[in-house]
Structures are given as structure tokens and as C-alpha cells.
Amino acid sequence: MMKRLGLAVVLTSFSAPVFADGDVADGAAQFIRQCVACHVVRDDAGNILAGRVAKVGPNLYGIADRPVASDVRFRYGDSITLAGAAGVIWSQENFVTYVQDPTKWLRDALSDRRARSKMGYRVRSDQDAQDIFAYLASLAP
Ligand code: HEC
């Protein structure tokens, strides 16, 4: 009895990390398919963890719970800069909503119907967005 319990505990501790509703492996595939044309994931030491060298969009390293518009090397649009200055962070919910319609998310966040996003891309599935968030979260401590 104790032995079986011990085995179960060992197996559990070796299983893949789970980030809320996201599937890390699917997120990796979706990131390559949908994001690498514009984004890279580069750690603080300069190692590229995902993507190539795209600079159209900001570096997404450590995006989970990162302050909005905080890649100091990227020139953000005015609207997302305002959201960042207001102290908004990339919670899972904010991220998942944003990537499905960046302009709408900014309009809601700023209560400004004229807010605009420089990101001209939308993820078409909520599950894909959840999976990509889980994947990006898994790349940073
Ligand atoms: C066509 C280019 C393009 C594609 C494709 C694209 N993005 Fe973006 N993304 C951008 C740009 C440009 C910005 C900066 C937005 C601004 O300044 O308003 C951005 C901003 C972001 C931000 C805000 C980051 C921050 O530092 O606050 C997140 C999160 C994001 N993108 C996630 C994604 C994900 C995930 C994908 C893939 C599903 C993706 N993007 C695909 C161009 C793109």
C-alpha cells in the first residue's frame, strides 16, 4: 500500500507542468505557426528560446505576469503604452483576450473607442491562445 502510494507520488512529480487550461506542446506548435513571423522569445542572456530574429513585435520572454508594454527595446504604439503605464500586467486572462483581438482588448482596457493596436493579427481559437500562454510561461522561470 505505502509502496504504491510512493510510486504514484514519483510519477506525478515527473509529469509535465500544467498551466491552468493550456497544453504546452500544442502551444509550442501554435507559436511556430502563428507568432514567429513577428515575435522572438529571447532570454536575458540573449539566448533565443523560440522563433528566429523577428523584430516586428516585442520579445515575449517571461510574458506571463509581465507588465504590459515592458520590452525596453521595442517601440510600442501609444495605446498599449498607456495600458502599461496604468499598471496592467499580462495575466493569463488578459493575454488570452488580447491575442484574439488586440484592438478590442485595448479599447476595453482604456475605455477608449479610438484606441489602436500595432499588432495586426488575431488568434482564432480560445484554446490556441490558452495553449500559447502555457507554452510561453513554461519558457521562463
Ligand atoms: C503581424 C505581426 C504579428 C504577429 C503575427 C503577432 N504579433 Fe503580437 N505583436 C505585434 C506587434 C507589432 C505588437 C506591438 C503592439 C503595439 O505596440 O500596439 C505585438 C504585441 C504583442 C503582445 C504584447 C507584448 C508586450 O510586451 O506587452 C503580446 C502578448 C503578443 N503580441 C502576443 C502574440 C502572440 C502570442 C502571437 C501569435 C499567436 C502574436 N503576438 C502574433 C505583432 C504581431
Side-chain angles (χ1 to χ4, degrees):
M1 181 63 178
M2 280 308 288
K3 234 180 177 172
R4 287 178 76 115
L5 191 62
L7 183 62
V9 170
V10 169
L11 288 175
T12 305
S13 64
F14 278 95
S15 64
V18 175
F19 296 94
D21 315 316
D23 176 318
V24 170
D26 185 65
Q30 294 302 333
F31 187 82
I32 290 169
R33 194 169 302 148
Q34 303 194 47
C35 316
V36 297
C38 299
H39 292 283
V40 69
V41 180
R42 189 194 313 255
D43 70 15
D44 298 337
N47 303 304
I48 293 183
L49 308 182
R52 294 180 290 267
V53 290
K55 290 182 184 149
V56 178
N59 177 9
L60 296 181
Y61 179 69
I63 197 73
D65 294 336
R66 189 172 99 180
V68 167
S70 59
D71 173 1
V72 295
R73 295 192 177 151
F74 187 77
R75 286 179 69 99
Y76 291 96
D78 293 342
S79 299
I80 198 170
T81 299
L82 281 174
V88 182
I89 62 151
W90 289 121
S91 62
Q92 179 167 16
E93 190 188 348
N94 280 337
F95 177 96
V96 166
T97 314
Y98 173 84
V99 298
Q100 292 183 79
D101 192 339
T103 293
K104 181 177 188 307
W105 184 86
L106 284 170
R107 287 177 181 180
D108 291 346
L110 299 171
S111 301
D112 177 0
R113 291 187 54 208
R114 293 188 305 178
R116 284 182 174 279
S117 176
K118 280 174 72 179
M119 174 161 148
Y121 186 82
R122 293 182 187 192
V123 176
R124 291 201 171 72
S125 128
D126 193 73
Q127 190 62 53
D128 285 355
Q130 303 277 2
D131 293 349
I132 294 166
F133 184 83
Y135 170 62
L136 293 172
S138 78
L139 294 179

